[in-house]
Amino acid sequence: MRIGVLSLQGGVVEHMNHIRELGSEAVEVKKIEDIKDINGLIFPGGESTTIGKILRERDMLIPLRERIISGLPVWGTCAGMILLAKEIENDEHTHLSVMDIRVRRNAYGRQINSFEITERIKGVSENPIPLVFIRAPYIISYGDDVKIIHMVNGNIVAARQNNILVTSFHPELTENIEFHKYFLSMCII
Ligand code: GLN
């Protein structure tokens, strides 16, 4: 299986290492041709406004959007969640606009900018796994097709709508590979 990682900005290498650890091929996606033969695509954390800007500059936004709408499995971590959302509470415009969620950027405010907790994620991990949040967004409302995967303190931090998976946290920054395993299971055609 070949999994692409959008490699325009942000935490790319860590995702690639986790994919390889699971025995799949990881490829960098820097231009639209790179998505031709992939079975799934990861949108890493970083800065959503910067990644969105580069996607537009490289004419990748619309073709990527079409591939996702026609079923390409994708996973957005943190900034990736913001890129995939149809609505962003505190931002002027949206980016790929494919998932029926409304997100709040930098939702945890300054005091708890970054934090880590350990919890079991039903349907994803048998045991508690570390969840790392870095200037993370969370979901404040969602449509009927969205399935909530996990909440922390009453806030939605992981969800799925058919072929689209989003997490507020960064499994790639931990040793744990359960979430990557879950995403790979979405990519098997
Ligand atoms: N705060 C960033 C944004 O709004 C996301 C941070 C992250 O990806 N770790 O895009």
PDB file of all heavy atoms in Angstrom, residues 115-133:
ATOM      1  N   PHE A 115      -0.386  20.251  25.457  1.00  0.00           N
ATOM      2  CA  PHE A 115      -0.508  19.329  26.578  1.00  0.00           C
ATOM      3  C   PHE A 115      -0.606  17.901  26.068  1.00  0.00           C
ATOM      4  O   PHE A 115      -0.835  17.663  24.872  1.00  0.00           O
ATOM      5  CB  PHE A 115      -1.725  19.655  27.459  1.00  0.00           C
ATOM      6  CG  PHE A 115      -3.056  19.558  26.749  1.00  0.00           C
ATOM      7  CD1 PHE A 115      -3.858  18.427  26.894  1.00  0.00           C
ATOM      8  CD2 PHE A 115      -3.515  20.592  25.945  1.00  0.00           C
ATOM      9  CE1 PHE A 115      -5.094  18.331  26.247  1.00  0.00           C
ATOM     10  CE2 PHE A 115      -4.747  20.503  25.291  1.00  0.00           C
ATOM     11  CZ  PHE A 115      -5.533  19.383  25.442  1.00  0.00           C
ATOM     12  N   GLU A 116      -0.379  16.963  26.975  1.00  0.00           N
ATOM     13  CA  GLU A 116      -0.438  15.556  26.602  1.00  0.00           C
ATOM     14  C   GLU A 116      -1.275  14.796  27.616  1.00  0.00           C
ATOM     15  O   GLU A 116      -1.147  15.033  28.821  1.00  0.00           O
ATOM     16  CB  GLU A 116       0.989  14.982  26.560  1.00  0.00           C
ATOM     17  CG  GLU A 116       1.016  13.549  26.110  1.00  0.00           C
ATOM     18  CD  GLU A 116       2.424  12.978  25.927  1.00  0.00           C
ATOM     19  OE1 GLU A 116       3.347  13.770  25.665  1.00  0.00           O
ATOM     20  OE2 GLU A 116       2.572  11.757  26.044  1.00  0.00           O
ATOM     21  N   ILE A 117      -2.122  13.909  27.141  1.00  0.00           N
ATOM     22  CA  ILE A 117      -2.874  13.037  28.038  1.00  0.00           C
ATOM     23  C   ILE A 117      -2.813  11.620  27.477  1.00  0.00           C
ATOM     24  O   ILE A 117      -2.397  11.423  26.335  1.00  0.00           O
ATOM     25  CB  ILE A 117      -4.355  13.467  28.177  1.00  0.00           C
ATOM     26  CG1 ILE A 117      -5.011  13.566  26.794  1.00  0.00           C
ATOM     27  CG2 ILE A 117      -4.496  14.780  28.925  1.00  0.00           C
ATOM     28  CD1 ILE A 117      -6.508  13.646  26.861  1.00  0.00           C
ATOM     29  N   THR A 118      -3.218  10.654  28.287  1.00  0.00           N
ATOM     30  CA  THR A 118      -3.194   9.264  27.828  1.00  0.00           C
ATOM     31  C   THR A 118      -4.589   8.680  28.002  1.00  0.00           C
ATOM     32  O   THR A 118      -5.110   8.668  29.111  1.00  0.00           O
ATOM     33  CB  THR A 118      -2.157   8.476  28.654  1.00  0.00           C
ATOM     34  OG1 THR A 118      -0.886   9.115  28.467  1.00  0.00           O
ATOM     35  CG2 THR A 118      -2.052   7.040  28.183  1.00  0.00           C
ATOM     36  N   GLU A 119      -5.194   8.260  26.900  1.00  0.00           N
ATOM     37  CA  GLU A 119      -6.547   7.723  26.969  1.00  0.00           C
ATOM     38  C   GLU A 119      -6.740   6.600  25.959  1.00  0.00           C
ATOM     39  O   GLU A 119      -6.069   6.563  24.927  1.00  0.00           O
ATOM     40  CB  GLU A 119      -7.579   8.839  26.689  1.00  0.00           C
ATOM     41  CG  GLU A 119      -7.621   9.865  27.790  1.00  0.00           C
ATOM     42  CD  GLU A 119      -8.792  10.822  27.700  1.00  0.00           C
ATOM     43  OE1 GLU A 119      -9.477  10.876  26.664  1.00  0.00           O
ATOM     44  OE2 GLU A 119      -9.018  11.532  28.702  1.00  0.00           O
ATOM     45  N   ARG A 120      -7.687   5.731  26.274  1.00  0.00           N
ATOM     46  CA  ARG A 120      -8.034   4.694  25.309  1.00  0.00           C
ATOM     47  C   ARG A 120      -9.029   5.268  24.310  1.00  0.00           C
ATOM     48  O   ARG A 120      -9.924   6.016  24.699  1.00  0.00           O
ATOM     49  CB  ARG A 120      -8.682   3.512  26.029  1.00  0.00           C
ATOM     50  CG  ARG A 120      -8.993   2.363  25.100  1.00  0.00           C
ATOM     51  CD  ARG A 120      -9.512   1.169  25.863  1.00  0.00           C
ATOM     52  NE  ARG A 120     -10.941   0.984  25.674  1.00  0.00           N
ATOM     53  CZ  ARG A 120     -11.500   0.363  24.624  1.00  0.00           C
ATOM     54  NH1 ARG A 120     -10.755  -0.130  23.675  1.00  0.00           N
ATOM     55  NH2 ARG A 120     -12.807   0.255  24.520  1.00  0.00           N
ATOM     56  N   ILE A 121      -8.831   4.959  23.044  1.00  0.00           N
ATOM     57  CA  ILE A 121      -9.750   5.447  22.022  1.00  0.00           C
ATOM     58  C   ILE A 121     -10.559   4.269  21.513  1.00  0.00           C
ATOM     59  O   ILE A 121     -10.016   3.369  20.858  1.00  0.00           O
ATOM     60  CB  ILE A 121      -8.984   6.130  20.872  1.00  0.00           C
ATOM     61  CG1 ILE A 121      -8.012   7.143  21.461  1.00  0.00           C
ATOM     62  CG2 ILE A 121      -9.954   6.715  19.863  1.00  0.00           C
ATOM     63  CD1 ILE A 121      -8.039   8.502  20.942  1.00  0.00           C
ATOM     64  N   LYS A 122     -11.817   4.292  21.803  1.00  0.00           N
ATOM     65  CA  LYS A 122     -12.701   3.185  21.444  1.00  0.00           C
ATOM     66  C   LYS A 122     -12.683   2.956  19.929  1.00  0.00           C
ATOM     67  O   LYS A 122     -12.788   3.899  19.152  1.00  0.00           O
ATOM     68  CB  LYS A 122     -14.122   3.541  21.897  1.00  0.00           C
ATOM     69  CG  LYS A 122     -14.951   2.354  22.239  1.00  0.00           C
ATOM     70  CD  LYS A 122     -16.245   2.789  22.924  1.00  0.00           C
ATOM     71  CE  LYS A 122     -17.314   1.772  22.588  1.00  0.00           C
ATOM     72  NZ  LYS A 122     -18.462   2.335  21.923  1.00  0.00           N
ATOM     73  N   GLY A 123     -12.490   1.709  19.543  1.00  0.00           N
ATOM     74  CA  GLY A 123     -12.474   1.380  18.117  1.00  0.00           C
ATOM     75  C   GLY A 123     -11.120   1.570  17.470  1.00  0.00           C
ATOM     76  O   GLY A 123     -10.913   1.196  16.320  1.00  0.00           O
ATOM     77  N   VAL A 124     -10.184   2.182  18.202  1.00  0.00           N
ATOM     78  CA  VAL A 124      -8.855   2.438  17.645  1.00  0.00           C
ATOM     79  C   VAL A 124      -7.776   1.703  18.441  1.00  0.00           C
ATOM     80  O   VAL A 124      -6.897   1.061  17.865  1.00  0.00           O
ATOM     81  CB  VAL A 124      -8.541   3.955  17.600  1.00  0.00           C
ATOM     82  CG1 VAL A 124      -7.115   4.222  17.122  1.00  0.00           C
ATOM     83  CG2 VAL A 124      -9.539   4.690  16.703  1.00  0.00           C
ATOM     84  N   SER A 125      -7.832   1.806  19.762  1.00  0.00           N
ATOM     85  CA  SER A 125      -6.778   1.189  20.579  1.00  0.00           C
ATOM     86  C   SER A 125      -7.367   0.362  21.717  1.00  0.00           C
ATOM     87  O   SER A 125      -8.372   0.745  22.317  1.00  0.00           O
ATOM     88  CB  SER A 125      -5.859   2.270  21.153  1.00  0.00           C
ATOM     89  OG  SER A 125      -6.556   3.064  22.099  1.00  0.00           O
ATOM     90  N   GLU A 126      -6.734  -0.764  21.992  1.00  0.00           N
ATOM     91  CA  GLU A 126      -7.153  -1.630  23.104  1.00  0.00           C
ATOM     92  C   GLU A 126      -6.761  -0.997  24.435  1.00  0.00           C
ATOM     93  O   GLU A 126      -7.452  -1.123  25.428  1.00  0.00           O
ATOM     94  CB  GLU A 126      -6.443  -2.987  22.992  1.00  0.00           C
ATOM     95  CG  GLU A 126      -7.056  -3.924  21.964  1.00  0.00           C
ATOM     96  CD  GLU A 126      -8.483  -4.305  22.331  1.00  0.00           C
ATOM     97  OE1 GLU A 126      -8.744  -4.549  23.525  1.00  0.00           O
ATOM     98  OE2 GLU A 126      -9.331  -4.331  21.417  1.00  0.00           O
ATOM     99  N   ASN A 127      -5.595  -0.339  24.417  1.00  0.00           N
ATOM    100  CA  ASN A 127      -5.027   0.243  25.635  1.00  0.00           C
ATOM    101  C   ASN A 127      -4.977   1.764  25.524  1.00  0.00           C
ATOM    102  O   ASN A 127      -5.066   2.304  24.421  1.00  0.00           O
ATOM    103  CB  ASN A 127      -3.599  -0.283  25.843  1.00  0.00           C
ATOM    104  CG  ASN A 127      -3.622  -1.789  26.032  1.00  0.00           C
ATOM    105  OD1 ASN A 127      -4.330  -2.306  26.882  1.00  0.00           O
ATOM    106  ND2 ASN A 127      -2.868  -2.484  25.194  1.00  0.00           N
ATOM    107  N   PRO A 128      -4.802   2.456  26.653  1.00  0.00           N
ATOM    108  CA  PRO A 128      -4.652   3.913  26.580  1.00  0.00           C
ATOM    109  C   PRO A 128      -3.433   4.293  25.744  1.00  0.00           C
ATOM    110  O   PRO A 128      -2.408   3.612  25.808  1.00  0.00           O
ATOM    111  CB  PRO A 128      -4.454   4.314  28.049  1.00  0.00           C
ATOM    112  CG  PRO A 128      -5.034   3.206  28.841  1.00  0.00           C
ATOM    113  CD  PRO A 128      -4.802   1.960  28.035  1.00  0.00           C
ATOM    114  N   ILE A 129      -3.568   5.334  24.946  1.00  0.00           N
ATOM    115  CA  ILE A 129      -2.457   5.800  24.111  1.00  0.00           C
ATOM    116  C   ILE A 129      -2.216   7.292  24.371  1.00  0.00           C
ATOM    117  O   ILE A 129      -3.132   8.016  24.757  1.00  0.00           O
ATOM    118  CB  ILE A 129      -2.701   5.537  22.594  1.00  0.00           C
ATOM    119  CG1 ILE A 129      -3.976   6.250  22.090  1.00  0.00           C
ATOM    120  CG2 ILE A 129      -2.781   4.054  22.313  1.00  0.00           C
ATOM    121  CD1 ILE A 129      -4.155   6.178  20.582  1.00  0.00           C
ATOM    122  N   PRO A 130      -0.977   7.755  24.152  1.00  0.00           N
ATOM    123  CA  PRO A 130      -0.702   9.164  24.405  1.00  0.00           C
ATOM    124  C   PRO A 130      -1.305  10.067  23.320  1.00  0.00           C
ATOM    125  O   PRO A 130      -1.223   9.756  22.126  1.00  0.00           O
ATOM    126  CB  PRO A 130       0.830   9.236  24.371  1.00  0.00           C
ATOM    127  CG  PRO A 130       1.276   8.039  23.630  1.00  0.00           C
ATOM    128  CD  PRO A 130       0.207   7.003  23.728  1.00  0.00           C
ATOM    129  N   LEU A 131      -1.917  11.153  23.746  1.00  0.00           N
ATOM    130  CA  LEU A 131      -2.495  12.125  22.816  1.00  0.00           C
ATOM    131  C   LEU A 131      -1.791  13.460  23.038  1.00  0.00           C
ATOM    132  O   LEU A 131      -1.847  14.018  24.137  1.00  0.00           O
ATOM    133  CB  LEU A 131      -3.999  12.282  23.067  1.00  0.00           C
ATOM    134  CG  LEU A 131      -4.843  11.006  23.151  1.00  0.00           C
ATOM    135  CD1 LEU A 131      -6.293  11.353  23.453  1.00  0.00           C
ATOM    136  CD2 LEU A 131      -4.742  10.209  21.857  1.00  0.00           C
ATOM    137  N   VAL A 132      -1.138  13.954  22.004  1.00  0.00           N
ATOM    138  CA  VAL A 132      -0.361  15.184  22.111  1.00  0.00           C
ATOM    139  C   VAL A 132      -1.088  16.320  21.387  1.00  0.00           C
ATOM    140  O   VAL A 132      -1.386  16.209  20.194  1.00  0.00           O
ATOM    141  CB  VAL A 132       1.047  14.988  21.487  1.00  0.00           C
ATOM    142  CG1 VAL A 132       1.841  16.278  21.501  1.00  0.00           C
ATOM    143  CG2 VAL A 132       1.808  13.886  22.216  1.00  0.00           C
ATOM    144  N   PHE A 133      -1.358  17.394  22.107  1.00  0.00           N
ATOM    145  CA  PHE A 133      -2.064  18.547  21.535  1.00  0.00           C
ATOM    146  C   PHE A 133      -1.102  19.732  21.459  1.00  0.00           C
ATOM    147  O   PHE A 133      -0.471  20.064  22.461  1.00  0.00           O
ATOM    148  CB  PHE A 133      -3.248  18.942  22.425  1.00  0.00           C
ATOM    149  CG  PHE A 133      -4.332  17.900  22.494  1.00  0.00           C
ATOM    150  CD1 PHE A 133      -4.195  16.786  23.311  1.00  0.00           C
ATOM    151  CD2 PHE A 133      -5.497  18.035  21.751  1.00  0.00           C
ATOM    152  CE1 PHE A 133      -5.203  15.820  23.375  1.00  0.00           C
ATOM    153  CE2 PHE A 133      -6.507  17.078  21.818  1.00  0.00           C
ATOM    154  CZ  PHE A 133      -6.365  15.974  22.625  1.00  0.00           C
TER     155      PHE A 133
END
